[in-house]
Amino acid sequence: MILVTGGAGFIGANFVLDWLSVGDESVLNVDKLTYAGNLSTLKSLQGNEKHTFAQVDICDRAALDKLFAEYRPRAVVHFAAESHVDRSIDGPADFVQTNVVGTFTLLEAARAYWTTLPEAEKAVFRFLAVSTDEVFGSLGPQDPQFSETTPYAPNSPYSATKAASDHLVRAYHHTYGLPTLTTNCSNNYGPYHFPEKLIPLMITNALAGKSLPIYGDGQNVRDWLYVTDHCSAIRRVLESGKPGEVYNVGGWNEKTNLDVVHTLCDLLDDLKPKADGSYRDQMTFIKDRPGHDRRYAIDARKLERELGWKPAETFETGLRKTVQWYLDNQPWVDDVTSGEYRKWVGQHYA
Ligand code: NAD
Ligand code: DAU
């Protein structure tokens, strides 16, 4: 079996659902269930004996040791993190705790377990860390995309803690020989995306008749990837990636935030027209995010060249599917937008 951390969050849950739909191998899903973790995303796995859920904090070494000893995974896929840049600006402490101390604790538990394995199992064991393009900092309009050798220059507390996590993973390979793999991916979007991030926030606000808050001038660029394409990239790297290597994952879809919001409004105008006017009428420009990175762009050629991976969705097909998913799954949105979530949104956009 494989041990997945953060498998009740957006990408982790998509990964678990995808993994169990394409193969036979079991998953031990380890998640603390913070505000971002939702078991309702995994409802379809109820009664599925190939999925075991453990509500555990990755900072809890004793609990992790117990899980490794009991389940004996052949690989770890590490998603668990505090992941929202705006929250890291408001309160960085949880980010240092989970993203740095948590990764360190998980690495220590994995290393202790790995050391006890027979040689053959030791050789095939993998620790895959899921990371972000934000560790590379911000690009100018003419700069080449981030490659695997771009120097790290994280700008937010979130990206600084993810960079620290990446460095620890690298060090555990270099120093102890732990067979690690790291993926650095661009912005994901798709089903089960928590509605505090740009795309789901815009869809849910649009449908609720609320304003669509665009930071600054809306010209910041992100490189978007449909979430199941990220999942297939992780599977590929886990299967055939070379220990110690880093792989960039991206969708070749650079868009300004304004382009994204316009496209979302147009899709909603088409799929769920308002009585009068366009969803674009709800757009509002608001105060910029402090230290807001201007542009991210990923060069994913290494993954294509060495492991034969390519995204299946274009931005247009992926975004249409996403909007349709939110239209069809309002109960999921209502379920995850808890009191704590509403409190944060109230403070942040006040
Ligand atoms: P998310 O915030 O939706 O989910 C994070 C999950 O981790 C939640 O289920 C949460 O309960 C769990 N978690 C948090 N702290 C924990 C702890 N201490 N112990 C155990 N579980 C804990 O995040 P996401 O968007 O799904 O991102 C998953 C991973 O992918 C993160 O490592 C993130 O940095 C990385 N990533 C995200 C994106 C993106 O666009 N969302 C892009 C590239 C990389
Ligand atoms: O690049 C990968 C990263 O993408 C991941 O590592 C992070 O975990 C993930 O949250 C995401 O970070 P971003 O900061 O790029 O995503 P977010 O959805 O918060 O914002 C996307 C862009 O939209 C960014 O330029 C800020 C802008 N934005 C965001 C919100 C929430 C707005 O203009 N208005 C908003 O209300």
Side-chain angles (χ1 to χ4, degrees), residues 83-86 132-134 158 185-187 196-198 201-202 213-215 220 222 224 257 289 292 296 349:
S83 73
H84 188 187
V85 174
D86 292 322
T132 169
D133 59 0
E134 299 204 12
Y158 163 67
C185 187
S186 59
N187 283 61
E196 66 182 2
K197 306 278 178 83
L198 180 76
L201 180 87
M202 293 297 160
I214 296 160
Y215 297 161
N220 303 68
R222 297 293 182 264
W224 294 95
N257 293 337
R289 170 186 281 176
H292 196 174
Y296 304 143
Y349 293 99

Side-chain angles (χ1 to χ4, degrees), residues 6-12 30-38 56-59 78-83 98 130-133 158 162 185-188 193-194 197 230:
F10 164 48
I11 306 174
V30 177
D31 195 300
K32 180 182 173 184
L33 295 182
T34 66
Y35 77 94
N38 287 288
V56 162
D57 186 335
I58 56 162
C59 300
H78 176 33
F79 293 95
E82 288 292 338
S83 73
T98 286
V130 179
S131 190
T132 169
D133 59 0
Y158 163 67
K162 288 297 289 185
C185 187
S186 59
N187 283 61
N188 285 215
H193 203 180
F194 197 73
K197 306 278 178 83
H230 189 187

Side-chain angles (χ1 to χ4, degrees), residues 3 14 46 55 60 75 77 85 100 121 156 158 160 169 184 201 214 221 248 282 289-290 296 309:
L3 187 161
N14 272 287
Q46 256 169 18
Q55 185 171 4
D60 183 344
V77 184
V85 174
V100 186
E121 286 177 44
S156 71
Y158 163 67
V169 171
N184 291 89
L201 180 87
I214 296 160
V221 172
N248 277 1
Q282 292 167 232
R289 170 186 281 176
Y296 304 143
W309 175 87

